[in-house]
Amino acid sequence: MHTGRMLAGRAVVLLSLAWSAHRSLAIPQIAECGLSCSQGFACESRVNWNIFNSFCRPPPSSVSPSVLEALTLSTAMKCAPNDGCSLLLRVRASLVLHESLRGLEACSMNLDTQETQCQSVRVSRASRHRQVGWQLQVHFDCFEVSVAQSLYVTLRTVPHFCGVQLDQQYHVEDCRDEDVGRNVPVCFAGKFSYWADRSRKVILVQVPEAPGAPDYYVRLCLKWFTCDDVGVPVRVTENQMSRTVSLPYSQELPCLCLEGWFATPDAVRMQACPFEDETEALWDAIRYHPGDRALSWEPACPVSGHVSLCWRPGPGALCHNLEHSGRPAHRRVQYPSVDTQPRLCLKFSTSRSSWVRCPFQEGHFQAWKMTVRPAASQGHLRVTFFSPSAAHFQVHLCHQRKKWPPACRPGPRATTHAPASVSWSDFVTDLAVAFVDIPREEACVPNTCIQGWRTDVTFSAPHQLCDLHCTATQGTAD
């Protein structure tokens, strides 16, 4: 028992050390690229141009796809004095050796140019016969790659057996990585400077000067999975007098980015996003569709968060979430059949903060109204509803409490019968379209609210009147 606890303790310490090392690990530098095999195996490497290994053959019944155990990719740097550093792809692979296998092949394909590099390792015949069933680990270090390159890496057996293959996509670090930006010449040779003139809504870009350098492109783009053009890229020629480019923009969005690159094939693109911390504008993209009464929001940039409908009892008050309205805020969100009440709002929440937008509070949306007055019959209050069109309502009696929501119980229902020929102003001033009477002894209790709710829409904000002092009760909720 004691030994088990000691082993568990050692495991925790080892895991902690491994995690600490991982957290502090930068892109490693190597003196020479090469290939190595796990101890005890006799291996030799080859740069492989043999296209015939692209064609597979049926594997023997004793060869399982799991003989290829792992494929791990990472970036390394090889540096030379005064010349900066170049980047290499490191491929780590493991294989359970089988008598019919002669080795491994790793291929890296540039997804932009389709150019492919392959390297293979062969295990000597004597080693193969002697170490069948053993795990062979291979390290390839000599795949030359470029900054920000997208790669597709394939690991196969030699010979290549059908269905026995591992694949992985890999994206090489770009110039925003601290090690790459500081050590790879293409990063510091192509850097631009910029500043945003918010009053004129333009971004001014200072293009780098380098004697004999090729022309330079600058553009604005919206960054999603790729960076999509906003306007036409501007080309700055080598002999151009001014090296400053003015790029107009319409909205300050966190995904609005600058890209700059030399006019050469497969050039590295430098990128900067001037407004990346400003998410405020994302919450304004709210649309209302009167035909189906749908409320929608679609972000102009990638965002990770949560959106819900809420209702705000008054200006500056806490906005209370409506049940069953929560949605992830990654892409377009739509709410069908929404009540156009000024108090109905959208709440956006991210890891940084939360924002509330109330699209109907401007007053140009027709909305219903609720009033509470003494009823003609003694001992009752009359709850009256006004509406620009036929609608269904329900009255709730709610007991206020410190924590939200209040404790409510359903009351009587009311249905409007509004003639289409009567205008909204007529409804407000002259026409009571529906009413219900409720006992004073229930509504006039301290800490009690009358809550009116529209029930013929999916999402509705309640109207609420509280603490009605019923000696001369008269209240209105808009």
Side-chain angles (χ1 to χ4, degrees):
M1 193 74 176
H2 180 67
T3 305
R5 285 197 299 269
M6 287 179 62
L7 288 173
R10 288 181 61 191
V12 170
V13 171
L14 288 172
L15 284 170
S16 301
L17 290 173
W19 173 244
S20 301
H22 176 73
R23 290 285 299 271
S24 62
L25 189 65
I27 295 179
Q29 294 189 19
I30 59 175
E32 293 295 333
C33 72
L35 176 141
S36 62
C37 287
S38 48
Q39 190 173 2
F41 286 87
C43 297
E44 61 178 19
S45 64
R46 301 182 188 179
V47 176
N48 190 13
W49 303 105
N50 180 9
I51 65 168
F52 294 106
N53 201 51
S54 300
F55 303 100
C56 67
R57 66 180 75 172
S61 59
S62 57
V63 174
S64 164
S66 61
V67 295
L68 287 179
E69 292 187 315
L71 172 63
T72 306
L73 308 175
S74 61
T75 308
M77 287 194 294
K78 183 182 175 185
C79 303
N82 306 319
D83 288 334
C85 302
S86 59
L87 298 179
L88 299 168
L89 176 70
R90 308 178 84 176
V91 178
R92 301 288 183 264
S94 63
L95 163 82
V96 176
L97 198 60
H98 186 274
E99 59 188 6
S100 60
L101 300 180
R102 298 195 297 273
L104 279 176
E105 179 188 67
C107 292
S108 170
M109 182 177 70
N110 184 337
L111 291 177
D112 297 319
T113 64
Q114 305 298 300
E115 181 184 356
T116 301
Q117 307 174 59
C118 292
Q119 295 178 27
S120 66
V121 57
R122 302 299 174 95
V123 182
S124 71
R125 181 172 306 201
S127 186
R128 290 204 306 269
H129 290 307
R130 189 173 62 250
Q131 294 165 303
V132 167
W134 289 29
Q135 185 191 61
L136 168 64
Q137 294 184 341
V138 182
H139 295 183
F140 301 93
D141 279 337
C142 291
F143 289 97
E144 296 180 359
V145 294
S146 302
V147 173
Q149 204 171 58
S150 293
L151 305 170
Y152 187 75
V153 179
T154 304
L155 183 69
R156 298 169 176 161
T157 57
V158 178
H160 180 202
F161 290 128
C162 301
V164 185
Q165 180 171 309
L166 294 178
D167 306 294
Q168 198 174 129
Q169 289 195 36
Y170 187 74
H171 190 75
V172 181
E173 290 83 351
D174 59 25
C175 294
R176 289 172 296 180
D177 180 90
E178 185 178 353
D179 291 328
V180 174
R182 188 175 56 240
N183 294 294
V184 178
V186 71
C187 289
F188 43 80
K191 279 186 177 176
F192 55 79
S193 57
Y194 68 91
W195 60 99
D197 187 337
R198 295 174 185 259
S199 61
R200 293 168 50 209
K201 283 191 173 285
V202 295
I203 299 175
L204 302 169
V205 185
Q206 182 69 38
V207 173
E209 281 190 79
D215 295 351
Y216 197 84
Y217 280 105
V218 181
R219 70 163 182 162
L220 283 176
C221 58
L222 284 178
K223 187 175 182 181
W224 285 79
F225 299 107
T226 59
C227 218
D228 301 326
D229 272 325
V230 177
V232 180
V234 177
R235 184 167 186 157
V236 181
T237 59
E238 182 186 356
N239 54 5
Q240 195 166 315
M241 292 291 293
S242 173
R243 308 289 290 179
T244 302
V245 175
S246 178
L247 300 174
Y249 64 89
S250 59
Q251 200 174 11
E252 293 164 6
L253 295 170
C255 61
L256 182 68
C257 299
L258 288 163
E259 272 196 347
W261 70 97
F262 285 115
T264 55
D266 207 22
V268 173
R269 299 195 175 202
M270 313 299 296
Q271 196 175 86
C273 305
F275 313 114
E276 61 185 343
D277 294 326
E278 301 181 25
T279 59
E280 186 77 13
L282 295 180
W283 321 126
D284 295 329
I286 301 170
R287 301 287 180 269
Y288 179 68
H289 313 275
D292 53 4
R293 294 186 298 191
L295 189 67
S296 65
W297 168 80
E298 188 166 6
C301 296
V303 62
S304 180
H306 189 266
V307 60
S308 62
L309 290 172
C310 62
W311 73 278
R312 183 179 263 173
L318 186 67
C319 205
H320 305 291
N321 289 344
L322 296 187
E323 286 187 0
H324 312 301
S325 70
R327 307 282 189 275
H330 305 311
R331 55 186 70 84
R332 189 170 189 261
V333 172
Q334 180 162 309
Y335 294 100
S337 188
V338 170
D339 186 8
T340 57
Q341 276 298 323
R343 290 189 177 94
L344 187 71
C345 306
L346 279 168
K347 182 191 289 184
F348 303 93
S349 304
T350 69
S351 58
R352 296 184 179 184
S353 188
S354 64
W355 296 261
V356 173
R357 294 289 187 271
C358 303
F360 307 118
Q361 68 181 0
E362 298 303 322
H364 56 275
F365 290 95
Q366 293 184 339
W368 55 274
K369 183 177 181 179
M370 181 184 87
T371 64
V372 179
R373 290 184 172 89
S377 60
Q378 291 231 349
H380 285 79
L381 298 178
R382 176 157 292 182
V383 182
T384 308
F385 296 95
F386 303 87
S387 175
S389 59
H392 299 270
F393 299 92
Q394 186 172 27
V395 174
H396 291 188
L397 286 177
C398 303
H399 180 70
Q400 285 182 304
R401 54 188 181 187
K402 291 182 179 180
K403 290 187 177 180
W404 182 260
C408 297
R409 66 180 188 275
R413 296 178 181 271
T415 301
T416 66
H417 300 284
S421 60
V422 182
S423 69
W424 168 238
S425 60
D426 291 333
F427 277 94
V428 174
T429 56
D430 302 322
L431 184 59
V433 295
F435 67 86
V436 291
D437 291 343
I438 58 176
R440 277 176 177 264
E441 61 185 20
E442 295 184 30
C444 296
V445 176
N447 298 320
T448 297
C449 303
I450 296 177
Q451 196 176 88
W453 201 282
R454 186 169 173 179
T455 59
D456 61 327
V457 292
T458 307
F459 298 101
S460 176
H463 289 294
Q464 186 166 286
L465 291 170
C466 298
D467 288 330
L468 297 170
H469 301 292
C470 296
T471 52
T473 302
Q474 182 169 326
T476 301
D478 295 320

